[in-house]
């Protein structure tokens, strides 16, 4: 297992990444990764028919998802791992997110129309011309850019649709409690994603009292000091330490594989997935 690298935080065209799941697997192989988890926002669509291809490519594929929640008005992303992708409850949960997002996107679009007379159609929200995946603020930002309303992707967030900006709307969020319960029901483990982004930090202490199983200790280009801080917290609370790049392709700078999980974490998760899979197909 020496040199074994598994990136456990990546996005595809099923949410707001720029590579298809198959392209991402090939890119992972080319980068020298032996393990990969695709953690699209609020969807597990990437896993449909993907396992035979992963085997062909020679990359161990671990089921994952990044679920959006809110705690006291603060957005909290939760990574779920090792569930069986054919779990009915989780599929229904993702469907619930799809409907939640549809309503929320409309609220944001209504504000853009009301405040800035900007009209964006449903077709303009398609990602890479593809329908069916999770649609969110990055899709709205891309449409704004395509219309020439803004001159860069970050400008959409910094001026219009970022938290607290004039056209932001949180929609009707799903709670942390019900999200962790769903992941657990599906046999998976629930991990606090990119903890440094959770502000104010008092919220982190409240999260640590909830039934999470892990924390993302290794993230994108964390410094040694940052890794130490989160590793210490994980140790104190007996949490699993996960890691990944949060690779999105063109919308974020994080390179694929720039961060990865410890080998022991990957082995534990993969074994858990295999057991869940066997139990579902029995
Ligand atoms: P949503 O899930 O619809 O609320 O959109 C959140 C996603 O938008 C995040 O996961 C990021 O990929 C992206 N995002 C959030 N803030 C920014 C930003 N300031 N610049 C670029 N992308 C961002
Ligand atoms: Zn994203
Ligand atoms: Fe996230
Ligand atoms: Fe992410």
């Amino acid at each position: 297992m020496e040199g074994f690298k598994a990136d456990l935080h990546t996005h595809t065209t099923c949410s707001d990444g720029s590579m298809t799941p198959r392209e991402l697997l090939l890119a992972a192989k080319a980068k020298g990764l032996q393990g990969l988890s695709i953690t699209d926002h609020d969807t597990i669509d990437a896993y449909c028919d993907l396992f035979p291809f992963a085997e062909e490519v020679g990359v161990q594929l671990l089921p994952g998802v990044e679920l959006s929640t809110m705690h006291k008005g603060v957005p909290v992303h939760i990574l779920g791992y090792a569930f069986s992708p054919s779990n009915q409850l989780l599929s229904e949960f993702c469907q619930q997110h799809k409907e939640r997002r549809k309503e929320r996107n409309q609220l944001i679009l209504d504000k853009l129309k009301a405040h800035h007379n900007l009209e964006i159609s449903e077709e303009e929200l398609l990602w890479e011309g593809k329908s069916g995946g999770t649609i969110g603020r990055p899709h709205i930002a891309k449409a704004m850019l395509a219309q020439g309303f803004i001159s860069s992707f970050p400008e959409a967030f910094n001026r219009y649709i970022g938290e607290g900006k004039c056209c932001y709307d949180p929609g009707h969020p799903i709670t942390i409690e019900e999200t962790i319960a769903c992941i657990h029901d599906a046999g998976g483990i629930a991990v606090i994603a990119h903890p440094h982004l959770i502000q104010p930090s008092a919220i982190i202490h409240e999260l640590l009292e909830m039934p999470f199983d892990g924390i993302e200790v290794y993230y994108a280009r964390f410094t040694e000091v940052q890794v130490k801080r989160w590793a210490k917290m994980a140790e104190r609370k007996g949490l699993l330490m996960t890691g990944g790049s949060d690779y999105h392709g063109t919308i974020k700078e994080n390179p694929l594989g720039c961060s990865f999980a410890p080998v022991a974490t990957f082995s534990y998760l993969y074994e858990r997935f295999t057991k869940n899979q066997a139990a579902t197909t029995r």
Side-chain angles (χ1 to χ4, degrees):
M1 293 292 264
E2 197 164 320
F4 185 97
K5 279 188 189 171
D7 187 337
L8 300 189
H9 191 158
T10 63
H11 297 268
T12 73
T13 47
C14 292
S15 63
D16 55 359
S18 53
M19 281 187 190
T20 65
R22 283 176 177 235
E23 285 167 350
L24 185 59
L25 272 167
L26 292 169
K29 180 72 183 175
K31 275 264 173 180
L33 297 175
Q34 290 89 353
L36 181 77
S37 186
I38 294 172
T39 51
D40 275 312
H41 299 285
D42 306 327
T43 179
I44 54 169
D45 285 358
Y47 292 96
C48 179
D49 293 334
L50 195 60
F51 287 93
F53 186 72
E55 210 163 298
E56 228 174 87
V57 173
V59 170
Q60 279 186 287
L61 184 64
L62 174 77
V65 66
E66 184 173 17
L67 296 167
S68 316
T69 71
M70 194 80 97
H71 182 68
K72 296 188 174 168
V74 175
V76 174
H77 285 179
I78 301 178
L79 291 160
Y81 292 115
F83 49 80
S84 161
S86 47
N87 181 276
Q88 192 61 28
L89 271 176
L90 189 58
S91 297
E92 286 168 14
F93 198 72
C94 291
Q95 187 55 38
Q96 198 183 327
H97 265 291
K98 211 171 219 174
E99 283 151 28
R100 170 189 75 82
R101 279 181 173 276
K102 204 171 172 187
E103 281 177 27
R104 187 233 188 171
N105 291 339
Q106 194 53 55
L107 292 171
I108 296 175
L109 294 183
D110 289 348
K111 287 185 179 175
L112 285 167
K113 168 81 180 120
H115 301 327
H116 302 285
N117 203 26
L118 176 67
E119 274 191 79
I120 295 172
S121 67
E122 255 181 57
E123 293 72 50
E124 287 173 278
L125 294 182
L126 297 185
W127 196 255
E128 313 286 327
K130 184 176 167 284
S131 61
T134 293
I135 297 179
R137 283 182 294 158
H139 302 67
I140 296 174
K142 242 187 169 188
M144 290 166 83
L145 190 59
Q147 283 203 23
F149 183 77
I150 49 171
S151 53
S152 75
F153 190 85
E155 189 186 343
F157 289 88
N158 297 339
R159 293 185 61 181
Y160 303 102
I161 59 174
E163 276 153 65
K165 304 297 174 200
C166 58
C167 299
Y168 175 75
D169 199 296
H172 299 286
I174 293 179
T175 66
I176 294 183
E177 289 82 356
E178 56 191 317
T179 302
I180 297 180
C182 174
I183 295 169
H184 285 166
D185 277 346
I189 71 138
V191 174
I192 304 171
H194 39 63
H196 65 303
L197 294 181
I198 301 170
Q199 296 295 340
S201 60
I203 295 285
I204 275 284
H205 295 283
E206 291 187 28
L207 300 191
L208 290 172
E209 300 308 315
M210 296 182 182
F212 278 103
D213 312 286
I215 185 161
E216 197 172 35
V217 167
Y218 306 91
Y219 179 82
R221 285 154 293 176
F222 264 5
T223 60
E224 221 172 286
V225 174
Q226 281 175 301
V227 168
K228 267 195 187 146
R229 174 178 178 212
W230 301 114
K232 214 167 131 190
M233 216 170 257
E235 254 171 45
R236 211 172 58 224
K237 289 283 177 185
L239 294 170
L240 197 67
M241 301 186 207
T242 72
S245 63
D246 207 359
Y247 179 71
H248 278 73
T250 50
I251 72 157
K252 250 185 192 161
E253 287 165 4
N254 314 359
L256 179 63
C258 67
S259 203
F260 45 90
V263 183
T265 297
F266 187 80
S267 304
Y268 167 79
L269 291 173
Y270 200 79
E271 197 174 311
R272 187 166 175 135
F273 155 55
T274 317
K275 279 186 193 152
N276 281 329
Q277 187 78 326
T280 332
T281 51
R282 204 179 288 147

